[in-house]
Every structure is written in C-alpha cells, then in structure tokens.
Amino acid sequence: MVVPWSSAIGFSIITILAAPTSAAEFACPPSIAVRKTFAVPEGWKRIAGDATAQLHGANLYLGVPENRARLKPDNAETDDVGMVWEALGNGYWLTCDYHGSGYELAQPVPGTPEACREVVDGGAWTGEVRCE
C-alpha cells in the first residue's frame, strides 16, 4: 500500500506533537548550613556566624538563575497553597530558596515539561516540586 505524502507528513506531525514529556521530581533539602564571611573592621572581632537556614520556597527561572529571569507563578495572585508554573517548555531551572540566607540551590529541569507544581500535603508545601 502506498501512503500519499500528505498523509505520511500528517501522521509524523501528530506523532511528534503527541510525544510524552518527561517528568521530574525535585526534593529541596529542608535546611542548609551556612557560614557567612565578611570583612571585619579594624578594632572589631568576629563572633559566631554559622547558622542553619530553613527552606523558604521554590522558584522557576527561564535559563540559568544567574540571569535573574525568575518566572512569576501562574497562581501567584490567589490564596492557593503551592505555586504552579504552566505552559513551559525547555531551558528552565528550579531553585530552592533558604530564608534569610541569600542562598539558593539550583538544578536544571530536564525535558520539556508542560507545568511545574509544588507538592502540597495537608495544606502545606512538602518541599517537593513536580514537573511534567
């Protein structure tokens, strides 16, 4: 049986569009040990400075986080628990933000997810983000 070009091309396009997206799950560490250093002015002595910073939230960036292209969650204007970022694609990075530390941990989001969602259990964020 001979398949006309138009039918074969149409089938290929449908197959590509229907290809599954990859799913990824991220578990932000609940806390990180931080040690801040700074220049001590003459006549002063540094006392303590080691601390533990608690997980504060997650952020999604278009491209590497150093470029500061942070995305606003699609449900940011609601009272919903758990941020949602929709209509994504590829080239995104997820970060875990630690309260008061100025530090974030970052990982690239693999594949081309359609959305990333903070995982919520019992009305609270679990520290996990699922992208699919």
Side-chain angles (χ1 to χ4, degrees):
M1 173 177 170
V2 176
V3 178
W5 271 103
S6 60
S7 296
I9 292 171
F11 176 74
S12 296
I13 292 172
I14 290 171
T15 303
I16 291 169
L17 294 177
T21 58
S22 60
E25 294 188 14
F26 300 89
C28 293
S31 64
I32 58 172
V34 296
R35 181 174 183 186
K36 295 187 177 187
T37 60
F38 54 91
V40 179
E42 188 176 331
W44 292 88
K45 177 181 174 185
R46 176 180 175 218
I47 305 294
D50 295 339
T52 299
Q54 299 300 316
L55 179 63
H56 177 68
N59 295 298
L60 204 65
Y61 289 86
L62 176 57
V64 294
E66 292 86 354
N67 291 342
R68 301 290 178 212
R70 187 169 65 186
L71 302 178
K72 181 178 179 181
D74 290 296
N75 64 341
E77 304 298 323
T78 70
D79 291 332
D80 295 347
V81 175
M83 297 290 104
V84 177
W85 298 269
E86 296 178 336
L88 300 177
N90 58 15
Y92 290 87
W93 282 69
L94 176 90
T95 65
C96 303
D97 178 32
Y98 292 87
H99 185 71
S101 71
Y103 293 110
E104 292 179 287
L105 298 177
Q107 285 190 10
V109 177
T112 56
E114 294 177 5
C116 291
R117 292 175 174 77
E118 289 182 339
V119 178
V120 175
D121 184 26
W125 179 45
T126 63
E128 298 175 0
V129 176
R130 181 174 295 128
C131 298
E132 46 192 6

